[in-house]
């Protein structure tokens, strides 16, 4: 969707004491940490994670419907009915469409866990931009000081 990339476009936020400011960069996106460091995702309120595929996704990769919505009304995605097949680590929810020629397509993949590898996109980017960081921090510091002075007047 571009939310993670777009989240880094904001200037750094300043924290700490006036004599020792700290520049804080944050994408402010819940899943940014797991992309940087990796980890395991498990379901919180269900038996399986439901991962949309194919027709269940928008062009930007967002889910059009949830698995329960699809199961209750397969017509939301243009299917006549759905069914489930269990596999080793989960299963697949399929959609069925077509009158003369039946088309069976996976709509959701079910998993008990998903392991996300570390990508280190932030640390790699910082390494590539290390020479520009002091200027960015200085600009943010000056902007914050102007805001503080302006608010005090």
């Amino acid at each position: 969707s571009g939310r993670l990339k777009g989240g880094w476009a904001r200037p750094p936020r300043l924290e700490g004491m006036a004599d020792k400011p700290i520049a804080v960069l944050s994408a402010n996106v819940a899943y940014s940490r797991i992309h940087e460091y990796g980890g395991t995702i498990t379901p919180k309120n269900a038996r399986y994670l439901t991962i949309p595929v194919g027709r269940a996704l928008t062009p930007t990769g967002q889910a059009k419907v949830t698995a329960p919505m699809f199961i209750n009304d397969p017509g939301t995605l243009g299917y006549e009915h759905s069914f489930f097949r269990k596999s080793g680590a989960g299963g697949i929810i399929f959609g069925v469409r077509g009158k003369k020629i039946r088309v069976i397509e996976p709509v959701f993949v079910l998993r008990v866990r998903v392991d996300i590898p570390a990508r280190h996109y932030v640390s790699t980017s910082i390494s590539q931009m290390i020479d520009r960081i002091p200027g960015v921090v200085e600009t943010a510091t000056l902007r914050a000081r102007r805001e503080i002075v302006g608010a005090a007047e």
Side-chain angles (χ1 to χ4, degrees):
S1 70
R3 285 184 56 219
L4 186 57
K5 181 181 177 185
W8 292 105
R10 293 187 318 272
R13 181 179 75 251
L14 290 177
E15 292 182 358
M17 305 301 288
D19 60 334
K20 293 185 180 180
I22 299 168
V24 177
L25 292 168
S26 172
N28 202 26
V29 177
Y31 49 85
S32 62
R33 181 175 181 81
I34 200 158
H35 280 283
E36 178 71 14
Y37 301 110
T40 300
I41 300 173
T42 56
K44 291 181 182 178
N45 301 312
R47 188 171 176 186
Y48 298 109
L49 296 168
T50 55
I51 305 162
V53 296
R55 287 181 156 213
L57 294 172
T58 66
T60 60
Q62 301 294 305
K64 291 180 183 176
V65 296
T66 64
M69 289 169 60
F70 174 71
I71 291 167
N72 289 330
D73 184 8
T76 58
L77 296 177
Y79 294 100
E80 294 162 24
H81 66 274
S82 64
F83 67 94
F84 167 77
R85 286 289 182 253
K86 191 165 174 46
S87 69
I92 299 175
I93 298 173
F94 292 93
V96 181
R97 61 184 171 88
K99 298 280 185 211
K100 292 183 179 181
I101 300 175
R102 287 288 196 204
V103 177
I104 300 172
E105 299 171 318
V107 182
F108 287 91
V109 175
L110 309 179
R111 293 288 179 256
V112 293
R113 64 183 274 161
V114 174
D115 295 314
I116 305 292
R119 292 184 175 90
H120 303 295
Y121 69 102
V122 174
S123 53
T124 300
S125 297
I126 289 173
S127 296
Q128 293 170 351
M129 296 178 52
I130 196 74
D131 294 336
R132 294 175 41 201
I133 291 174
V136 171
V137 172
E138 182 179 2
T139 301
T141 303
L142 292 173
R143 184 182 307 119
R145 285 186 178 154
R146 279 194 301 270
E147 290 173 9
I148 291 168
V149 170
E153 294 179 338

